[in-house]
Amino acid sequence: MANRDRNASVPLDAASKAIIEQLQEDGRRPYAAIGKAVGLSEAAVRQRVQKLLDQGVMQIVAVTDPLTVGFTRQAMVGIRVEGDIDPVADALAALDEVDYVVCTAGSFDLLAELVCEDDEHLLEMINKRIRALPGVRSTESFVYLKLRKQTYTWGTR
């Protein structure tokens, strides 16, 4: 869901919202089971899911625990930019170690979440890759010590 315009909403009916909620509980739930839960046929669920994917409303992905796959250091990096923030945001988004980039109002122009193998890798990313980007004025790092909550089941409200 890269570079999405948060002001461009896609209208969702009750059935699509119910499908999304079913998939947030279990992304591998069979379409037949979803159909039974929401009152649609398996084929109708399949079509709706594909439409939701095509519209960028949702993604179905495997979410890993970074620690268990060898990435022991995560950090949020606040970035202050001189001039246009878009080229810096695009350059950050192109980095494999960056899994999240957001344009902000407040003390920082951008926030980027980095997932790194260790402290040395994080230092290299900040010092050699991020601070070297044209337009980056300063950075401030917030190293994660312990993850207390991470969820993707906020529903569709």
Side-chain angles (χ1 to χ4, degrees), residues 13-71:
D13 63 11
S16 291
K17 289 179 179 181
I19 290 169
I20 292 168
E21 289 171 356
Q22 289 285 309
L23 289 168
Q24 283 178 326
E25 289 176 13
D26 180 358
R28 299 184 318 158
R29 184 167 288 157
Y31 291 150
I34 295 171
K36 186 174 181 179
V38 303
L40 295 174
S41 70
E42 179 179 349
V45 170
R46 186 181 319 282
Q47 289 174 344
R48 283 177 179 257
V49 167
Q50 190 58 54
K51 185 176 178 183
L52 292 166
L53 293 169
D54 292 344
Q55 292 175 325
V57 171
M58 67 178 191
Q59 295 175 311
I60 300 174
V61 298
V63 178
T64 61
D65 177 349
L67 292 173
T68 64
V69 292
F71 298 104

Side-chain angles (χ1 to χ4, degrees), residues 118-138:
D118 52 31
D119 287 338
E120 189 66 31
H121 186 198
L122 177 61
L123 178 61
E124 178 185 329
M125 288 302 303
I126 294 168
N127 200 37
K128 305 268 192 236
R129 307 280 302 276
I130 295 174
R131 288 182 179 158
L133 292 172
V136 171
R137 189 175 75 224
S138 66

